[in-house]
Amino acid sequence: MKPETDLVQPVIKSARPLALSIRAALATDLARQCAVTASLLLCLLAGMHGAGLLGGTAIKDAASGAFAPDFTLLALESRAFGIWGVIHLGLLGYTIFQWWPGDRASQRQRTIGWAVAASMLLNAAWILAAQAGNVGLALVLILMLVAALAWVIDGLSRYPSPYRVDALLVDGPLGLYAGWVLLAAALNAGSWLTVREIDFLGWGAEVWAVIAVAFVSLAGAVMAMTGRGRISAVLALAWGLGWLTYDRFLGEPQSAPVAMAAGFGLFFVLVCGISRHFQVGHAERRALRRGEPLD
């Protein structure tokens, strides 16, 4: 009787060419484009399901109200989440654009494409986890989503494009997506901590909410200072922080410290993003006047 290793080795050898073929197929531009397109469709379906349009439980009503507008000091009212409509429209534009023959083989698309696809799948998975009432899993998924979009933003900065169509259909939508998800991650963390009744160091929910807003504002400012000034990310954060300011001043629960922190964060992110945009624009105009090549 042959040893088990002698029986297994032929199977491994026969499977190796198949694995190499699959790897080669996934490395193609066509595979990446198809993955982005399929991920968008799943993301859109999950989004409609999460809004209750396909018969599912709306996110704000799921998880025993953990994502309700009045559950934590970081929660936002439902109108704030209308930005998802703009984000989804932008992602649709990006998905169509990445099929453009002149852009499909660009190093830029090859760097960010798979990460964009992963982010949309994680987005869909987050919605399913939230609807299932698993706030902890939802937090893990949204942190993974933040990491995927950080990779995307880094890729956009490493391979900038001088064309306005890229700014409109690539940098714009993905920046808006990244900026909003950054804030949404803080909201999810607040929900999880409240559900688990965790109060680190006994400082209270209000202090930690202010710290969370400060962290998001700082991270948003760093993002805003990349590239030419990532204005779309700035606008997404400004939208969210603006609603947070309004809700904590006039909504429930009220908190003047959180509202003031959100207002200051909004101003800080706007100043960083806009100043970076004008700084880069001024440097480029000066280089053109001197006849120097642009970086």
Side-chain angles (χ1 to χ4, degrees):
M1 186 174 180
K2 292 184 178 181
E4 289 186 6
T5 54
D6 291 341
L7 296 174
V8 171
Q9 283 180 354
V11 176
I12 295 175
K13 288 181 180 179
S14 62
R16 191 170 298 164
L18 177 61
L20 292 175
S21 299
I22 294 173
R23 182 177 178 182
L26 291 176
T28 63
D29 294 321
L30 179 60
R32 186 196 69 243
Q33 291 170 302
C34 290
V36 170
T37 305
S39 298
L40 173 70
L41 293 176
L42 289 173
C43 182
L44 292 177
L45 286 173
M48 289 188 287
H49 195 265
L53 299 178
L54 298 179
T57 305
I59 296 296
K60 62 184 180 66
D61 299 322
S64 302
F67 300 103
D70 57 354
F71 191 70
T72 73
L73 289 172
L74 294 176
L76 300 175
E77 64 176 90
S78 299
R79 287 180 293 174
F81 295 93
I83 193 174
W84 274 114
V86 182
I87 292 172
H88 286 149
L89 185 62
L91 290 175
L92 176 62
Y94 164 77
T95 301
I96 295 172
F97 179 73
Q98 55 113 31
W99 281 96
W100 195 257
D103 204 63
R104 63 183 298 177
S106 70
Q107 185 60 48
R108 202 171 203 238
Q109 292 295 343
R110 288 174 174 173
T111 301
I112 68 171
W114 285 104
V116 174
S119 74
M120 291 189 283
L121 290 177
L122 287 167
N123 194 354
W126 182 90
I127 291 172
L128 296 177
Q131 288 183 315
N134 197 328
V135 183
L137 178 59
L139 177 59
V140 172
L141 288 169
I142 202 168
L143 291 176
M144 293 172 65
L145 177 52
V146 169
L149 290 173
W151 177 279
V152 171
I153 295 299
D154 179 66
L156 294 176
S157 300
R158 283 190 289 124
Y159 299 101
S161 173
Y163 303 111
R164 291 188 177 182
V165 67
D166 276 88
L168 179 64
L169 296 176
V170 181
D171 295 78
L174 297 178
L176 196 72
Y177 188 19
W180 180 254
V181 166
L182 177 62
L183 179 62
L187 273 56
N188 197 155
S191 295
W192 180 75
L193 290 170
T194 302
V195 167
R196 307 290 282 185
E197 299 181 350
I198 296 174
D199 180 12
F200 293 113
L201 303 177
W203 287 359
E206 195 167 54
V207 173
W208 284 111
V210 170
I211 292 173
V213 170
F215 178 81
V216 168
S217 301
L218 181 60
V222 172
M223 188 190 305
M225 295 290 284
T226 62
R228 296 176 56 87
R230 210 145 299 278
I231 297 300
S232 58
V234 170
L235 292 176
L237 280 165
W239 172 266
L241 291 171
W243 274 108
L244 186 59
T245 303
Y246 173 83
D247 288 341
R248 293 296 78 81
F249 265 132
L250 301 176
E252 291 293 337
Q254 291 187 348
S255 172
V258 175
M260 289 187 289
F264 178 78
L266 187 159
F267 175 76
F268 180 62
V269 170
L270 280 174
V271 168
C272 289
I274 293 173
S275 62
R276 170 67 177 177
H277 183 74
F278 281 106
Q279 179 187 22
V280 173
H282 175 69
E284 289 179 349
R285 289 191 296 270
R286 186 172 58 183
L288 287 172
R289 286 196 300 268
R290 294 178 178 178
E292 299 173 352
L294 298 177
D295 295 334

